[in-house]
Amino acid sequence: MKLGIVGAGMVGSSAAFACTMRGVASRIVLVDLNGARAKAEAEDIAHAVPFASPVQVEAGRYADLSGSGVVILACGVSQKPGEARLQLLSRNAEVFRQVVAEVTRHAPEAILVVASNPVDIMGQVTQSLSGLPAGRVIGSGTILDTARFRWLLGRHLGIAPRSVHAYVLGEHGDSEVLAWSAARAGSVSVESFAAQMRSPLTDAIRAEIDTGVRRAAYTIIEGKGATWYGIGAGLARIVAAIAGDEQAVLTVSTVGDVLDVPGVACSLPRIVGREGITATLMPDLSDIERDALNASAFLLKQSFDSLSLSRAERASRA
């Protein structure tokens, strides 16, 4: 499968590197306004190919995305000092208006995977601009938050994170919901597993894990300026699920109805394969978790509806 990546910054290049090491694509094309940066990243990653699977890694232009099965959008502008969140959203929406038009013109059959923040809203912007079915526009959503949750639970329980089945739902951001009620280790609840291992999940431990998930990005950004390895690996996981038609259950974001909130993009466990997202699952949640998920979805819906882009798109489609 051919993979396109628009945006050769740290997130885009990390995704390209992770996809190269996993061998999930036969050809990877990096596109960036800074052609020299795209060329340098492509060449650097290509030098890892002898240690991984055979893949052709190169820089290109939008026209070179033709034939891509998946295109990752890891582009956008940075927040200016004193700039409001909605102002940043509006500027990024304008960037995406141009990018999405070019990508869909040259790679109309591609599934679009959105990585740019705020990812849920930018995913909904992309779906609105592209006119693609919702299942063919996938935001990375809480795939990384879920990985952090599983890693922290696994560390406390003394088991491999892959043996932990737990999900973070809703916004990729401060309103996200850790679905403790549905969390499992092996075949039992994490509470039962923790008790059997004599490592109880006390309120203090839960709070520590909750903070570790929610504040991870802030801690990393404080130390090195941005996060990229974790999300790069998460994007590679999504691409692998599509390329291999895995029908994998991943917490990714797409537009749909969430509990009491219609037409919003946020994360739930979703089945991902060659056709994109084909089904959405709703975990068993406590009343408190359901209320929190509703609140998270409503917050995202409000933010999207505040964009002039969304109003214009609705008018154009009316």
Side-chain angles (χ1 to χ4, degrees):
M1 185 193 74
K2 181 178 178 180
L3 168 66
I5 301 177
V6 180
M10 294 309 302
V11 171
S13 58
S14 293
F17 179 71
C19 287
T20 297
M21 300 308 289
R22 286 185 68 123
V24 299
S26 57
R27 184 181 176 192
I28 299 174
V29 178
L30 284 167
V31 177
D32 197 282
L33 280 175
N34 184 342
R37 172 67 181 268
K39 184 177 180 180
E41 293 289 0
E43 187 167 340
D44 194 12
I45 294 166
H47 294 164
V49 169
F51 307 112
S53 300
V55 55
Q56 181 181 347
V57 186
E58 61 191 87
R61 300 184 179 185
Y62 284 112
D64 297 307
L65 298 176
S66 177
S68 296
V70 177
V71 175
I72 295 173
L73 304 183
C75 48
V77 295
S78 300
Q79 193 164 7
K80 297 177 180 178
E83 184 177 35
R85 186 168 177 263
L86 280 177
Q87 290 175 311
L88 173 64
L89 277 173
S90 295
R91 290 200 300 127
N92 261 331
E94 287 307 312
V95 171
F96 266 57
R97 187 189 296 277
Q98 301 172 37
V99 170
V100 171
E102 290 289 344
V103 171
T104 54
R105 180 159 72 96
H106 293 289
E109 301 303 318
I111 292 172
L112 305 184
V113 176
V114 181
S116 304
N117 279 318
V119 68
D120 302 292
I121 299 169
M122 295 313 300
Q124 188 156 7
V125 166
T126 300
Q127 194 274 327
S128 182
L129 290 171
S130 68
L132 290 170
R136 296 186 64 83
V137 179
I138 304 173
S140 57
T142 59
I143 193 168
L144 179 54
D145 310 271
T146 290
R148 290 166 174 160
F149 190 19
R150 293 177 179 183
W151 177 71
L152 288 167
L153 273 171
R155 186 174 68 174
H156 175 71
L157 298 173
I159 60 174
R162 286 191 176 188
S163 294
V164 178
H165 309 285
Y167 301 96
V168 178
L169 314 175
E171 179 194 16
H172 171 55
D174 293 339
S175 73
E176 65 191 18
V177 180
L178 278 65
W180 286 96
S181 296
R184 298 287 182 270
S187 61
V188 299
S189 69
V190 290
E191 291 86 354
S192 175
F193 192 100
Q196 293 181 54
M197 294 295 103
R198 294 183 173 82
S199 298
L201 282 166
T202 63
D203 289 343
I205 293 295
R206 283 173 175 260
E208 181 181 335
I209 290 174
D210 186 281
T211 300
V213 173
R214 293 179 191 278
R215 302 297 301 177
Y218 296 102
T219 301
I220 294 168
I221 290 169
E222 183 179 348
K224 69 177 210 174
T227 68
W228 52 79
Y229 294 127
I231 188 56
L235 291 166
R237 180 69 191 93
I238 297 169
V239 174
I242 297 169
D245 196 22
E246 293 183 18
Q247 307 304 306
V249 178
L250 304 173
T251 47
V252 291
S253 180
T254 197
V255 179
D257 298 339
V258 179
L259 297 178
D260 299 329
V261 184
V264 64
C266 69
S267 288
L268 287 169
R270 293 189 161 98
I271 299 174
V272 180
R274 185 174 294 120
E275 301 304 315
I277 293 170
T278 55
T280 296
L281 308 173
M282 179 59 70
D284 295 326
L285 303 174
S286 68
D287 290 342
I288 291 174
E289 291 166 345
R290 287 180 66 87
D291 289 345
L293 179 57
N294 252 328
S296 182
F298 182 71
L299 176 67
L300 288 167
K301 178 70 170 174
Q302 280 188 312
S303 294
F304 178 75
D305 287 345
S306 297
L307 282 172
S308 58
L309 171 75
S310 65
R311 293 194 292 272
E313 288 299 306
R314 284 200 300 271
S316 69
R317 294 176 189 280

